[in-house]
Amino acid sequence: MRRRLLCNVMYIFTLLALTASSALGQNRLDSLQYIDEVVITAQTRQKEVIPVQQLKGEQLQRLSSHNVADALRYFSGIQIKDYGGVGGLKTVNIRSMGTNHVGVFYDGIELGNAQNGQIDLGRFSLDNMESVTLYNGQKSAIFQPAKDFGSAGSIYMQTRTPKFDDKKDYNLKGTFKTGSFGLANPAFLWEQKINEKLSSSLSAEYMYTTGKYKFTYRTKDGYDTTAVRQNGDVNAIRVEGALFGKIDNGYWRAKGYFYNSERGYPGAIVRNKFTHEDRQWDTNAFAQGSYKKDIGWYSIMFNGKYAYDYLHYLADPHKDEALMYTNNHYYQHEAYASLANRFTLFPWWDISLSTDYQFNLLDADLRDFVFPRRHTILVAAATAFDFDFLKIQASLLATHVRDNVVLDTIAAPNKTEWTPTVIASYKPFKYIDLNLRAFYKRIFRMPTLNDLYYTFIGNTNLKPEYTNQYNIGFTYSKQIGSPWLEYIELQADAYYNEVENKIVATPTSNFFRWTMINLGIVEIRGIDAAVQAMWRWNKFLLSARANYTFQKAQDFTDSESEFYGGQIPYIPWHSGSAAINASYRGWEMNYSFIYTGERYSSTANIPVNYQLPWYTSDFSVAKSLKAGPGELKITLEVNNIFNQQYEVVTCYPMPGINFKGIIQYTY
Amino acid sequence: MTKLNNTICISAAMLALLTIGSCRKEMPVLPAEGEMVDNNPGSAEQIKGLYILNEGNMGNNKCTIDFYNCTNGYYLRNIYAERNPNVVKELGDVGNDIAVYQNKLFAVVNCSHFVEVMNARTAVHIGTVNITNCRYITFKGDKAYVSSYAGPVQIDPNARPGKIVEFDINTLEITREVVVGYQPEEMVIKDNKLYVANSGGYRPGNYDRRVMIVDLDSFEVTKEIDVAINLHRMEMDNNGRIYVSSRGDHYGIGSNLYVIDSNTDMVTDTLGIAVSEMHLNENKLYMTSVQWSYITGSNEISYTMFDTDKQEIVSTSFIDKDIAKEIKIPYGVTVNPENGEIFVTDATDYVTPGYLYCFTPEGQFKWKVRTGDIPAHFAFSELELK
């Protein structure tokens, strides 16, 4: 009897864990609001009118993640392209529209890479991160820079804002992480209250990893080989300093960021070639500032940034005789300024006008390089109506792009694009926390400077690549307060996206000679769903969350192709994640599970391109205790417990079981 | 008590999850796929089959071999993996040449840096010869000659010559090497002279222009012939004329075809024909060309047949024009020496499987079949695959 009961309970929990549950942060907070480090609060919050997913505070730290890309795996509707290991390139693709359609924002200002439009999210540490938020469409606040209207989907990384206890005017935090892959990762944070109106923070981090791990390639009744991943070492330093000022009815912030790294390229594992020797050096630095003030019915916000990025790639045949000698240096400069204005005409009606200007410059020591410079002007006009039961936002973004190159005859022509967004949300019942929402957004991405001007490959005739998104969904939450269920929250969205004029590489006369053209058409039909729930018994707290994504992302480029309508590469039909967190007094336990279903490495959905589903289980336990004047927290993680051998990208093996220990002292 | 129960529940749930997490099926060895393509293949006295090497895109480890059985019209895709299940990571990354010689099948796998040697009757692995960045293979006696980009690294790493590697086809031991020009490509052998076309493909703007002659006794370069930039293909006709193609520079200088008289080792003619692929059968040179035009924003494609006796172009579309329109990127061409059937491959977009087209000697369409990714190289076999 007792046994059967246990089985039933087990079954129910498994179901919950697999299909539903969740509590680690899918909160629908406006990121401009103050973000509390409480898992779930009872009060009803401002409902987001756009699909949003957020991981923040403790939740974020609990997820056994090395970096922001790892954490994003817990969101629905996204795919991470991961080349493996701590140092491997990790890029994110929202709802299958492509990496170049993702805007990545760091403390409110977009990170740029005019060269290839990709941001390696594996490089952003979680050490100093307060929240990571994913918006489909755009952030549903109309009072924002014009650039924030300019991506098909956006990821906002928000670093910690200092908060001080009444008695203390500083915070210190020291962290040391070590474990598999020869990881040594000390980090330090110092937050100081200078006076009531000014505080500062300084954060520094060093990371070293050998990047070595064992991997196995095995076929059923065939070969079985195990080797160690080589040339995946990373040596990186990050230093960040910020000032936080308060003014009457507003604030200002200033920040400096510096990142420097050297890393190996682990490379593809192919027959007879398991090691590589090419290397890359990066320096990324930026300074940025924000100012915001409300003056009665008028609000003003200014943002400015200067960024410098340096990349050095070296392939030296002295080290690996298979390499073609390549020694290239790339230098990028970006300057950005934005002015946003909001006018509150009535309590229920806001309008806003934002104007941004951005300058990009790319220099490189490539042969026949044209040294492109790009000027971008963005103007966004937006309006928001907020009635109790109905919220509507509409915005129109105008973008003007002008390129110059050394030989002005071959610069891409100037472009001006007008792109709209309409967002609505509706709350049908006064006492039921159910919200229905819908949005339409049309946006584009400019061809990157590589697409246009990369020696041999670039094509200056390229047109922008457009996306159209249509989304409907709902959110529902309920505070139950029963010991069997404290709180539950559900959200689901169904969407249809189109990518037009998709920029693809196409072969020309031979294998080494490709060019970029506007060719592709992709249609994406998908469902994102998420559930989170919480249970509480006295001091015992259990929270769980789960995400599920269905995506049918088809290539409709060539109607004569045998593979017309095939699922695009590396997009699984089914994927999901689940995480359970239990805490009791100073103890904490986490289990998380990630699943990526079957998919193909090519639009030719045939057996030779088939990729097995993969799923990993990560487990961690942590204990916090008083130590001297501060608090000590010790965490042990075991990731990929079942040592599953898998690949996200074909020929790039991922790590099997791995361990991490974290000691953190806060005062 | 409740607390304890809850703890048990959670642990149980996790255990259940973990159990699910621990069983995952293994990737099977991919079986070959077969299909009938020609119900009426005609007689095949001498040539029993055709091996097709699919290059596969770089970094994907997707080089594969297909086999067309000329006696029964049956086509087999991807035969290597199932015949060699114990070879780690199958055939490798980016095939670049294939040949049948003395009952052995040789595949030159460029980015896996070796020559795979198989039994030509079974496609079963015999051994490998490691040659870094190997490109093409040719034979004389019991020796194979392989061109390689990876000659000795010089002080200036931009000026790294290539080499020709000789190995014994019985012992599979490398016997000799000779340094040649930059990024050497195809070769032909006449008597004791090996001619190699140097491209300099890694040195845009500073391409190599030379055909070099290697004396097979001394294994030294005995002569350099200045031809044109970025040399690639080579064929030799019955009169000892060597046809060597230049890729051009993909900007102002187009592709072209040159003739070297192997009796005088002088360039005797410039034919003004653009060549991407080239195959000689008896006295006919079959050439396809693909050149990107920034004006039209598309590839310009041609199919040219040149008569080596008359020394003139005899056809500018040696295959059916309607079918030719369907072929996006002609990437390989060959002719069955026994019955004159023409084979052309289409690499399509390079990232999905390509196609093999078969035409009558007159260029009439016979059949078409799906291949692996980037079908490119051919080897006729007098042995039937078992």
Side-chain angles (χ1 to χ4, degrees):
Chain A
M1 180 61 205
R2 194 188 157 84
R3 202 165 162 175
R4 190 190 295 166
L5 181 71
L6 189 70
C7 282
N8 285 342
V9 171
M10 190 170 112
Y11 174 72
I12 289 161
F13 269 81
T14 308
L15 267 187
L16 270 174
L18 281 177
T19 61
S21 46
S22 119
L24 301 157
Q26 255 220 332
N27 297 330
R28 306 147 307 172
L29 269 175
D30 185 328
S31 64
L32 290 176
Q33 284 177 253
Y34 173 69
I35 292 161
D36 203 339
E37 288 200 2
V38 170
V39 179
I40 283 156
T41 47
Q43 84 228 37
T44 313
R45 290 173 308 246
Q46 172 80 23
K47 291 292 177 292
E48 283 287 348
V49 294
I50 202 105
V52 53
Q53 301 173 72
Q54 185 177 66
L55 283 165
K56 64 184 170 58
E58 282 297 305
Q59 316 167 333
L60 190 57
Q61 304 304 331
R62 282 188 201 122
L63 281 175
S64 304
S65 302
H66 281 281
N67 51 54
V68 169
D70 284 354
L72 286 169
R73 298 181 302 169
Y74 293 94
F75 289 154
S76 55
I78 73 165
Q79 272 75 44
I80 304 283
K81 206 166 195 187
D82 188 343
Y83 289 82
V86 179
L89 174 70
K90 293 167 181 62
T91 58
V92 60
N93 179 358
I94 298 176
R95 292 184 170 178
S96 304
M97 290 178 288
T99 303
N100 286 302
H101 286 283
V102 180
V104 180
F105 295 76
Y106 197 79
D107 285 344
I109 299 182
E110 188 166 15
L111 293 167
N113 185 346
Q115 187 186 350
N116 61 23
Q118 295 192 347
I119 304 287
D120 183 358
L121 287 161
R123 297 195 190 171
F124 292 94
S125 158
L126 291 172
D127 182 65
N128 189 33
M129 206 61 74
E130 186 157 271
S131 67
V132 177
T133 313
L134 166 74
Y135 291 90
N136 295 110
Q138 63 199 32
K139 194 163 71 179
S140 50
I142 63 163
F143 183 37
Q144 59 188 4
K147 277 195 97 180
D148 293 50
F149 295 93
S151 299
S154 304
I155 288 161
Y156 286 79
M157 295 185 273
Q158 184 68 46
T159 60
R160 266 174 69 115
T161 304
K163 293 184 287 278
F164 302 99
D165 289 346
D166 292 340
K167 293 166 239 132
K168 234 168 65 191
D169 55 7
Y170 63 94
N171 295 321
L172 293 172
K173 185 176 90 166
T175 312
F176 186 77
K177 300 178 185 176
T178 185
S180 304
F181 321 120
L183 180 74
N185 183 195
F188 173 75
L189 174 71
W190 170 33
E191 294 172 337
Q192 179 74 44
K193 189 185 207 171
I194 297 166
N195 58 44
E196 282 307 315
K197 298 214 156 178
L198 184 64
S199 57
S200 68
S201 100
L202 181 71
S203 159
E205 180 175 8
Y206 170 74
M207 200 262 285
Y208 173 75
T209 172
T210 60
K212 288 185 179 169
Y213 53 88
K214 275 189 185 166
F215 61 91
T216 299
Y217 278 108
R218 183 188 296 137
T219 53
K220 195 166 184 291
D221 304 322
Y223 60 81
D224 183 347
T225 190
T226 298
V228 175
R229 198 78 170 114
Q230 302 289 344
N231 204 38
D233 60 301
V234 182
N235 226 318
I237 185 164
R238 173 182 64 86
V239 181
E240 244 174 296
L243 289 172
F244 303 83
K246 282 182 200 155
I247 53 171
D248 291 342
N249 298 315
Y251 64 80
W252 63 270
R253 280 166 190 190
K255 145 157 261 169
Y257 176 96
F258 175 83
Y259 177 88
N260 184 278
S261 71
E262 176 186 348
R263 69 190 62 216
Y265 261 54
I269 299 288
V270 299
R271 179 173 170 195
N272 206 35
K273 181 73 181 160
F274 277 33
T275 62
H276 296 264
E277 291 288 349
D278 37 345
R279 300 193 74 73
Q280 181 176 317
W281 292 262
D282 287 276
T283 301
N284 309 100
F286 63 78
Q288 67 183 40
S290 304
Y291 170 90
K292 189 195 161 199
K293 191 171 170 68
D294 301 318
I295 310 157
W297 51 271
Y298 173 66
S299 302
I300 184 166
M301 177 163 59
F302 173 78
N303 284 290
K305 179 177 182 174
Y306 164 76
Y308 167 76
D309 296 288
Y310 162 78
L311 188 160
H312 173 204
Y313 172 78
L314 175 67
D316 187 353
H318 289 101
K319 290 190 171 158
D320 175 357
E321 69 157 4
L323 287 170
M324 167 188 169
Y325 179 70
T326 313
N327 188 7
N328 293 136
H329 302 76
Y330 302 84
Y331 308 85
Q332 288 192 69
H333 296 266
E334 178 177 304
Y336 169 73
S338 163
L339 180 68
N341 311 273
R342 178 176 58 189
F343 308 89
T344 304
L345 303 180
F346 296 98
W348 47 270
W349 187 15
D350 285 350
I351 59 169
S352 78
L353 185 70
S354 311
T355 314
D356 294 9
Y357 165 75
Q358 182 173 307
F359 172 72
N360 289 94
L361 176 159
L362 173 62
D363 286 352
D365 52 2
L366 296 173
R367 186 189 146 70
D368 295 338
F369 196 66
V370 297
F371 301 95
R373 281 92 181 88
R374 171 173 287 181
H375 303 268
T376 311
I377 295 166
L378 302 104
V379 179
T383 183
F385 299 96
D386 187 348
F387 308 106
D388 272 354
F389 61 99
L390 179 69
K391 295 184 176 72
I392 297 171
Q393 291 179 9
S395 59
L396 181 66
L397 176 69
T399 310
H400 179 74
V401 181
R402 184 181 287 261
D403 287 357
N404 295 121
V405 298
V406 168
L407 301 164
D408 238 352
T409 46
I410 58 159
N414 299 341
K415 293 176 184 70
T416 305
E417 301 291 334
W418 299 82
T419 47
T421 303
V422 182
I423 302 166
S425 99
Y426 176 65
K427 184 168 189 278
F429 310 107
K430 195 168 181 189
Y431 298 106
I432 299 174
D433 193 9
L434 172 70
N435 287 271
L436 308 176
R437 62 190 177 197
F439 80 84
Y440 161 74
K441 176 162 183 154
R442 176 172 170 81
I443 193 65
F444 69 97
R445 69 135 175 135
M446 276 297 294
T448 64
L449 297 179
N450 274 1
D451 293 341
L452 293 166
Y453 304 115
Y454 199 86
T455 309
F456 302 127
I457 294 166
N459 177 0
T460 54
N461 296 324
L462 284 176
K463 291 178 290 227
E465 178 181 314
Y466 293 92
T467 61
N468 295 312
Q469 298 180 71
Y470 305 84
N471 182 99
I472 55 165
F474 75 92
T475 63
Y476 172 76
S477 67
K478 189 162 172 62
Q479 187 73 33
I480 294 167
S482 122
W484 282 104
L485 186 60
E486 175 86 15
Y487 176 83
I488 187 159
E489 185 179 303
L490 303 156
Q491 68 171 359
D493 287 275
Y495 49 89
Y496 169 66
N497 301 336
E498 295 163 340
V499 183
E500 301 167 9
N501 278 344
K502 192 173 169 69
I503 297 170
V504 293
T506 189
T508 62
S509 36
N510 67 63
F511 190 83
F512 298 104
R513 208 53 65 142
W514 295 61
T515 193
M516 309 303 294
I517 58 167
N518 288 108
L519 185 71
I521 299 166
V522 178
E523 293 181 9
I524 301 124
R525 290 162 180 83
I527 293 167
D528 294 350
V531 175
Q532 60 183 39
M534 193 177 81
W535 297 264
R536 189 201 300 272
W537 303 276
N538 298 323
K539 288 204 167 69
F540 185 87
L541 195 71
L542 178 73
S543 60
R545 66 183 232 125
N547 289 295
Y548 166 76
T549 304
F550 168 78
Q551 274 188 22
K552 195 171 171 187
Q554 295 169 279
D555 186 332
F556 289 110
T557 301
D558 179 2
S559 61
E560 283 164 20
S561 165
E562 185 180 348
F563 309 108
Y564 180 71
Q567 183 88 348
I568 62 175
Y570 295 115
I571 303 297
W573 281 270
H574 304 279
S575 58
S577 67
I580 301 172
N581 170 254
S583 61
Y584 179 69
R585 294 180 188 266
W587 288 93
E588 214 176 84
M589 195 174 74
N590 264 283
Y591 169 77
S592 53
F593 175 80
I594 288 175
Y595 174 83
T596 295
E598 60 181 18
R599 65 225 178 278
Y600 290 89
S601 59
S602 157
T603 40
N605 298 168
I606 55 174
V608 69
N609 296 319
Y610 178 81
Q611 307 288 308
L612 277 179
W614 61 264
Y615 27 96
T616 54
S617 291
D618 299 344
F619 183 77
S620 75
V621 59
K623 168 72 178 159
S624 303
L625 45 115
K626 277 264 161 222
E631 191 184 69
L632 184 71
K633 185 175 178 183
I634 298 164
T635 309
L636 290 171
E637 292 176 6
V638 187
N639 301 322
N640 194 0
I641 300 170
F642 298 106
N643 196 26
Q644 190 169 102
Q645 300 294 314
Y646 68 105
E647 291 177 331
V648 177
V649 180
T650 183
C651 297
Y652 288 82
M654 299 292 290
I657 187 166
N658 62 88
F659 305 89
K660 193 160 65 173
I662 306 168
I663 294 181
Q664 182 175 296
Y665 188 75
T666 41
Y667 174 60
Chain B
M1 184 59 204
T2 318
K3 202 183 295 167
L4 183 67
N5 264 346
N6 288 330
T7 316
I8 292 168
C9 290
I10 295 154
S11 319
M14 284 187 177
L15 263 178
L17 263 179
L18 302 191
T19 323
I20 294 161
S22 54
C23 39
R24 182 195 190 213
K25 66 174 177 176
E26 283 187 311
M27 205 61 198
V29 174
L30 279 177
E33 303 171 331
E35 64 183 280
M36 184 60 77
V37 292
D38 193 349
N39 288 313
N40 188 17
S43 70
E45 299 291 321
Q46 187 196 347
I47 301 294
K48 301 284 196 265
L50 171 63
Y51 285 104
I52 296 98
L53 184 75
N54 302 291
E55 294 186 352
N57 229 318
M58 206 181 286
N60 283 300
N61 202 57
K62 277 175 75 177
C63 176
T64 58
I65 295 175
D66 299 349
F67 184 80
Y68 170 60
N69 188 324
C70 301
T71 60
N72 62 15
Y74 198 72
Y75 194 85
L76 273 175
R77 250 188 312 274
N78 194 10
I79 60 170
Y80 185 85
E82 70 171 10
R83 287 159 190 264
N84 300 281
N86 294 314
V87 174
V88 174
K89 299 224 80 174
E90 300 86 27
L91 192 53
D93 198 30
V94 189
N96 203 66
D97 202 5
I98 190 166
V100 172
Y101 186 72
Q102 294 192 0
N103 298 341
K104 288 192 172 83
L105 175 64
F106 299 82
V108 181
V109 190
N110 188 195
C111 296
S112 281
H113 311 287
F114 69 92
V115 177
E116 170 77 8
V117 184
M118 293 155 280
N119 183 327
R121 238 178 250 280
T122 58
V124 168
H125 174 82
I126 296 171
T128 59
V129 182
N130 282 320
I131 302 171
T132 305
N133 216 332
C134 42
R135 299 286 297 168
Y136 293 95
I137 191 164
T138 189
F139 303 90
K140 186 175 190 220
D142 56 3
K143 296 289 193 295
Y145 298 91
V146 177
S147 56
S148 156
Y149 283 2
V153 182
Q154 314 269 318
I155 295 164
D156 174 5
N158 269 320
R160 183 191 190 185
K163 62 185 177 183
I164 305 295
V165 177
E166 178 192 72
F167 72 84
D168 186 295
I169 60 165
N170 298 311
T171 64
L172 305 187
E173 301 282 340
I174 291 175
T175 44
R176 292 185 293 182
E177 293 187 1
V178 57
V179 173
V180 292
Y182 300 111
Q183 290 83 52
E185 304 285 14
E186 291 198 342
M187 301 159 285
V188 295
I189 293 175
K190 190 202 177 192
D191 303 331
N192 233 13
K193 291 190 290 187
L194 180 145
Y195 294 75
V196 58
N198 297 301
S199 70
Y202 280 2
R203 297 152 54 86
N206 198 11
Y207 291 108
D208 208 327
R209 307 178 43 91
R210 300 166 294 177
V211 165
M212 286 182 177
I213 301 171
V214 174
D215 180 278
L216 292 181
D217 290 330
S218 65
F219 218 55
E220 281 172 0
V221 175
T222 53
K223 188 167 182 187
E224 296 180 2
I225 307 166
D226 183 81
V227 182
I229 61 161
N230 207 357
L231 303 174
H232 188 197
R233 306 284 174 201
M234 260 190 170
E235 291 283 0
M236 184 167 62
D237 71 14
N238 299 328
N239 304 311
R241 292 191 200 95
I242 295 169
Y243 301 84
V244 54
S245 75
S246 155
R247 291 180 180 121
D249 68 355
H250 309 279
Y251 280 127
I253 304 171
S255 170
N256 210 332
L257 186 64
Y258 298 85
V259 184
I260 294 170
D261 184 338
S262 63
N263 299 311
T264 60
D265 290 335
M266 304 277 275
V267 177
T268 55
D269 210 348
T270 304
L271 297 175
I273 303 168
V275 179
S276 300
E277 312 297 325
M278 176 163 79
H279 178 79
L280 180 82
N281 184 53
E282 292 178 349
N283 61 349
K284 299 285 189 307
L285 257 185
Y286 296 78
M287 291 167 282
T288 65
S289 162
V290 181
Q291 298 212 83
W292 178 257
S293 162
Y294 280 101
I295 297 153
T296 62
S298 60
N299 281 315
E300 285 170 359
I301 293 167
S302 66
Y303 296 86
T304 313
M305 196 201 290
F306 183 82
D307 189 309
T308 57
D309 291 336
K310 297 181 192 157
Q311 288 290 298
E312 62 181 36
I313 292 169
V314 288
S315 169
T316 53
S317 58
F318 60 79
I319 58 165
D320 186 318
K321 279 179 183 162
D322 290 332
I323 302 295
K325 274 183 217 152
E326 184 184 311
I327 299 176
K328 292 194 183 69
I329 307 269
Y331 205 73
V333 58
T334 196
V335 176
N336 184 329
E338 184 178 349
N339 60 19
E341 282 179 345
I342 304 163
F343 295 87
V344 175
T345 59
D346 184 1
T348 66
D349 59 3
Y350 287 48
V351 290
T352 54
Y355 296 92
L356 173 67
Y357 289 79
C358 178
F359 302 88
T360 64
E362 297 74 39
Q364 293 300 313
F365 174 72
K366 279 192 84 180
W367 50 263
K368 133 189 198 190
V369 66
R370 171 148 59 83
T371 61
D373 291 4
I374 321 180
H377 308 279
F378 304 97
F380 285 101
S381 179
E382 296 181 7
L383 307 168
E384 203 169 326
L385 183 73
K386 281 181 190 153

